[in-house]
Amino acid sequence: EVKEGDVAVRTKVPVVRLKIGEVSEATSVVILPVCEAGEGETGVVEAPGECRSKGEFGVMEAEKGWRRWVVLPGWEPVVGLGKGVVVAFGDARVLPWKVNRWYKEEAILVVADREKKEVEAEDGFYLVSSVPDDHGGLKVERGSALKELGVKQCLGNVVLVVRPPKEEIDDQLQDDDWE
Amino acid sequence: EVKEGDVAVRTKVPVVRLKIGEVSEATSVVILPVCEAGEGETGVVEAPGECRSKGEFGVMEAEKGWRRWVVLPGWEPVVGLGKGVVVAFGDARVLPWKVNRWYKEEAILVVADREKKEVEAEDGFYLVSSVPDDHGGLKVERGSALKELGVKQCLGNVVLVVRPPKEEIDDQLQDDDWE
């Protein structure tokens, strides 16, 4: 746990499983640019920053064109992100979970805030480039691991992890599966 | 009413009013490229054609980048459009309604299918360029009007008209307000 002055900084990254047909229920939706983890830093850096929804129909206007987009319910961590980006990972097991409760491969979306590039909290999660021999891919690392390596900057602060919809009902991941 | 051989072709263009928070309720959503009526033919022609949703999260991948997008509920006329495009009009009154029941300005979205460029039905609605002195804008015309002028091609068949959400409940436009 990090102390900043006398204030304990405790970071929680929500992990949610999308329900079938859920991009819905919310009173608003968010459209975010998507890049693939395999594309590496380039995708994250080049994806449009500001994406504003305007007018009565919520038409989203990005600062520049982009090919890949995803719609998410207007969940608190993603609404109002100034420079949000979604990274699609093919296998959630690459994430630095505390315990590996996921035995099978599962696609996952990691939503990061590119306005926050400081590695601040030990228990925060950060989007970084993989080591060079990893074909320029992306990965998510814990603040503690990055600090040990002296890494102070990242590509973005992870604000939300989205798991795919599933037929069966299963428990949400516990908060303490992180860290 | 048009006769083709012995088959009467009757075209109905649904007009729907989006409800607040409705991009929702549907079990699916559709992301479509948007252009402004004022941009004219260029916008409609240049907007990406194929926009396919893939994978468990429904990540949409367009054939090319584009800046402006809108999310609509997965209504029947828009699901599966091969080359759908949305044109944003600032004032619904420019549309060729049968009766002018709308006395005030209201923004409107016209969804057109660019795979269907033939002016076929007298009672169909078609997206066309405005006359040159209209600053290269777009308009919607009835098949009957275009046929009178000998126009056989259009920019796209209108498949849906979307009105903005409204606080008060009001009646949907009647089918016979068209034509």
Side-chain angles (χ1 to χ4, degrees):
Chain A
E1 201 131 317
V2 190
K3 295 271 180 188
E4 283 193 353
D6 278 351
V7 185
V9 178
R10 174 105 190 116
T11 315
K12 296 253 181 178
V13 176
V15 179
V16 293
R17 183 181 287 286
L18 203 60
K19 295 188 203 111
I20 291 179
E22 185 186 17
V23 179
S24 50
E25 292 174 19
T27 48
S28 66
V29 295
V30 175
I31 309 180
L32 288 169
V34 177
C35 43
E36 302 279 340
E39 291 170 346
E41 192 169 336
T42 317
V44 173
V45 172
E46 292 190 351
E50 278 200 83
C51 301
R52 292 190 179 176
S53 283
K54 291 179 183 171
E56 296 163 294
F57 298 104
V59 171
M60 185 276 295
E61 187 165 329
E63 55 167 11
K64 63 175 176 175
W66 194 250
R67 287 181 58 203
R68 252 179 275 135
W69 301 89
V70 73
V71 183
L72 292 177
W75 288 316
E76 197 273 324
V78 296
V79 169
L81 277 184
K83 295 183 75 178
V85 69
V86 172
V87 181
F89 285 87
D91 187 353
R93 291 173 302 180
V94 302
L95 269 64
W97 306 105
K98 187 176 178 185
V99 285
N100 190 353
R101 294 204 189 157
W102 300 350
Y103 300 102
K104 64 186 181 71
E105 198 173 315
E106 179 180 70
I108 207 158
L109 298 183
V110 170
V111 186
D113 180 356
R114 287 172 292 171
E115 279 181 336
K116 294 189 181 158
K117 296 192 175 178
E118 309 284 315
V119 176
E120 283 178 337
E122 295 272 331
D123 54 359
F125 291 84
Y126 301 94
L127 189 64
V128 291
S129 293
S130 302
V131 285
D133 63 356
D134 203 355
H135 311 291
L138 294 168
K139 59 181 179 178
V140 172
E141 285 287 6
R142 293 187 232 171
S144 56
L146 293 173
K147 289 190 170 201
E148 263 174 39
L149 296 168
V151 178
K152 288 172 184 164
Q153 292 286 314
C154 66
L155 298 170
N157 207 325
V158 174
V159 297
L160 182 72
V161 175
V162 187
R163 302 173 71 190
K166 215 175 177 180
E167 294 291 345
E168 320 95 78
I169 292 156
D170 68 352
D171 293 329
Q172 292 286 321
L173 205 73
Q174 306 302 315
D175 273 338
D176 57 4
D177 287 348
W178 283 95
E179 187 218 32
Chain B
E1 202 131 315
V2 191
K3 294 273 180 186
E4 285 193 351
D6 277 354
V7 185
V9 179
R10 174 104 191 118
T11 317
K12 297 254 182 176
V13 176
V15 179
V16 294
R17 183 181 288 286
L18 205 60
K19 295 187 203 111
I20 290 177
E22 187 186 19
V23 181
S24 45
E25 292 175 20
T27 49
S28 66
V29 295
V30 175
I31 310 179
L32 288 169
V34 177
C35 44
E36 303 280 340
E39 292 170 347
E41 191 170 336
T42 317
V44 173
V45 171
E46 291 188 352
E50 277 200 83
C51 301
R52 292 189 180 177
S53 283
K54 290 177 183 175
E56 297 163 295
F57 298 104
V59 172
M60 185 277 294
E61 187 166 328
E63 55 165 14
K64 65 174 176 179
W66 193 250
R67 287 180 60 202
R68 253 179 274 136
W69 301 90
V70 73
V71 183
L72 293 177
W75 288 315
E76 197 271 327
V78 295
V79 169
L81 276 184
K83 296 184 74 179
V85 69
V86 171
V87 180
F89 285 86
D91 187 352
R93 291 173 301 180
V94 302
L95 269 64
W97 306 104
K98 187 176 175 185
V99 284
N100 193 354
R101 292 205 192 156
W102 300 349
Y103 300 102
K104 64 186 180 72
E105 199 172 313
E106 179 180 68
I108 207 158
L109 298 182
V110 169
V111 185
D113 180 355
R114 288 171 292 170
E115 279 181 335
K116 294 190 181 158
K117 297 191 175 177
E118 310 284 316
V119 176
E120 283 179 336
E122 296 271 330
D123 54 359
F125 289 84
Y126 302 94
L127 189 64
V128 290
S129 293
S130 301
V131 283
D133 63 355
D134 202 356
H135 311 292
L138 294 169
K139 59 181 180 176
V140 172
E141 284 288 5
R142 293 187 232 171
S144 56
L146 293 173
K147 289 189 171 203
E148 262 175 41
L149 297 166
V151 178
K152 288 171 184 167
Q153 293 285 315
C154 65
L155 297 170
N157 207 325
V158 174
V159 297
L160 182 72
V161 174
V162 188
R163 302 172 72 189
K166 215 175 177 180
E167 296 289 346
E168 321 97 74
I169 292 157
D170 68 351
D171 293 327
Q172 292 287 321
L173 205 75
Q174 306 303 313
D175 273 339
D176 57 4
D177 285 348
W178 284 96
E179 188 219 31

